[in-house]
Amino acid sequence: ITAALIGTLALVGLVVVVLFGTSDNSAAPAADTISVLPTPVDARVNYADATGMISGAAADSALVNTIIDITPWDGTSRLNILFMGLDRRPGETGIAFRSDSMMIISLNPQTGSVGVLSIPRDLYVSVPGYSARQRINSALPLGELQRAGYGPTLAMQTIQHNFGMPIHEYIVADYTALIALIDAVEGIEIDVPTPISDYWFPDQYDGYDPLVLSAGVQWMDGSTAQKYGRTRHGDSDFGRARRQQQVIFALRERLLNLDNLPALIASAPALYGSISANVETSLSLDQLLRLGMWLRDLDTNAITMGVIDADYTSDFITDDGAAVLIPRSEWMYGLFTRVFGADFAG
């Protein structure tokens, strides 16, 4: 029972690390609901040489009748999961929100390896069913707009369509579960590379909750850790993705420390309530248990991390003045191969 608990929490720790939402450092952050989705942008430019579509889909083709099959995990082979973190405000429910934190996590029990790739929210891609390109973080709410419960499927289809990598399952959550989990293990240790002074960090009520951290090793509670993963102070979404990956390792180390087991058991009812209320997944409890047991003994050296950053994208301004990122196929294929292995498309 103890091993199952530790293993399951290890998996949950990997899952909820994407529950950061977003921080725009803007003067008046707006509620990020489906009612304020950006107006679809017409892609009038020929992206034939700059799409970055590993699957080779034509940029100007109408995808209204495109069917992308999603095959559930068979329980034994490689498992590719799309993790999506929501910026959901207190009192808001459902998943019709932009997924401003996105990761593909590929677990390969046969080779004993895990690949984690962070995806920037401004990546400008084809979304099945829409002739105009969209930011990749819009796929989830666009699917929910079509019909309730379809959002995660459309998001998985979008990843599979644009990168040629099959996606089997999904996990959607907001950052509340992350805070609860980190607090349950009494905090995590993070080595902050440079000082952070983000006085415009938004709270959840259209105000501000400043984040000030010195460089060096810092002990963070759940609230501070999620702010550290959300802030874009002094850099960009790319830097934020790397900070989120820092939290992955720190949280995993705490979860696998047997000394923390009593605290976890004591907080199990509240922790379960928070996770069940703020996490939605296509994985069954049995699958989560088996994966958690496997992740418990995973060697850290077997985990490969990656970020789709400026080395793999080109800046582009749409006709309505929006700044987006065009993925570059000539480099993207190498990134996916490094993180997931040469057989990532299989």
Side-chain angles (χ1 to χ4, degrees):
I1 293 174
T2 299
L5 175 61
I6 295 173
T8 302
L9 288 173
L11 178 64
V12 172
L14 189 61
V15 171
V16 301
V17 77
V18 298
L19 316 183
F20 296 103
T22 180
S23 167
D24 288 329
N25 295 322
S26 58
D32 203 12
T33 64
I34 197 166
S35 62
V36 293
L37 278 175
T39 302
V41 178
D42 291 332
R44 298 187 176 91
V45 178
N46 183 358
Y47 292 99
D49 296 324
T51 61
M53 302 299 143
I54 292 176
S55 59
D60 58 352
S61 63
L63 301 174
V64 175
N65 296 319
T66 299
I67 298 176
I68 308 294
D69 291 328
I70 299 296
T71 303
W73 184 46
D74 61 14
T76 58
S77 59
R78 178 199 289 265
L79 167 62
N80 300 327
I81 306 172
L82 176 61
F83 292 83
M84 294 172 282
L86 307 180
D87 184 26
R88 197 163 53 186
R89 300 302 197 265
E92 294 176 333
T93 59
I95 59 173
F97 302 86
R98 292 195 191 99
S99 51
D100 283 335
S101 295
M102 302 182 71
M103 291 184 187
I104 301 172
I105 297 187
S106 181
L107 305 97
N108 193 336
Q110 297 178 350
T111 62
S113 62
V114 172
V116 180
L117 182 66
S118 296
I119 303 171
R121 61 181 182 173
D122 289 334
L123 212 60
Y124 205 43
V125 298
S126 297
V127 176
Y130 296 83
S131 58
R133 289 176 178 270
Q134 309 285 340
R135 285 184 172 89
I136 199 166
N137 68 342
S138 295
L140 177 64
L142 285 172
E144 287 297 302
L145 182 62
Q146 291 185 39
R147 63 179 184 274
Y150 179 58
T153 298
L154 183 59
M156 290 192 293
Q157 289 175 332
T158 299
I159 296 293
Q160 192 164 301
H161 174 68
N162 285 280
F163 301 124
M165 182 176 184
I167 303 297
H168 307 111
E169 310 291 348
Y170 72 87
I171 296 177
V172 180
D174 71 17
Y175 67 88
T176 306
L178 172 74
I179 295 175
L181 184 58
I182 293 178
D183 286 342
V185 296
E186 301 179 351
I188 59 176
E189 187 177 83
I190 294 288
D191 189 357
V192 180
T194 58
I196 294 177
S197 299
D198 187 353
Y199 295 103
W200 300 102
F201 187 91
D203 64 14
Q204 295 299 298
Y205 302 95
D206 294 333
Y208 305 102
D209 186 15
L211 175 67
V212 179
L213 294 171
S214 301
V217 177
Q218 307 284 337
W219 193 261
M220 301 184 187
D221 61 10
S223 178
T224 304
Q226 64 87 16
K227 289 166 65 177
Y228 178 74
R230 292 173 62 203
T231 183
R232 295 196 300 170
H233 168 77
D235 50 26
S236 63
D237 279 341
F238 306 141
R240 183 175 66 176
R242 294 186 178 91
R243 285 190 290 276
Q244 291 174 0
Q245 292 184 359
Q246 270 189 288
V247 178
I248 285 180
F249 283 98
L251 183 53
R252 182 174 182 270
E253 289 301 313
R254 291 291 289 170
L255 287 168
L256 297 183
N257 186 339
L258 287 175
D259 292 339
N260 296 318
L261 186 59
L264 285 172
I265 293 176
S267 60
L271 184 59
Y272 176 79
S274 177
I275 291 175
S276 61
N278 296 289
V279 177
E280 179 177 313
T281 179
S282 58
L283 289 162
S284 68
L285 178 59
D286 177 67
Q287 289 174 325
L288 287 171
L289 285 169
R290 286 191 288 134
L291 286 170
M293 293 292 289
W294 180 73
L295 282 172
R296 180 195 60 179
D297 299 320
L298 183 68
D299 186 346
T300 301
N301 293 324
I303 303 175
T304 303
M305 315 288 282
V307 177
I308 299 178
D309 58 17
D311 291 335
Y312 306 99
T313 60
S314 296
D315 295 333
F316 183 77
I317 303 298
T318 65
D319 287 347
D320 66 349
V324 295
L325 300 170
I326 303 298
R328 301 290 304 189
S329 60
E330 61 268 34
W331 300 110
M332 195 75 71
Y333 184 87
L335 174 64
F336 273 67
T337 300
R338 179 181 67 80
V339 175
F340 301 120
D343 60 343
F344 74 88

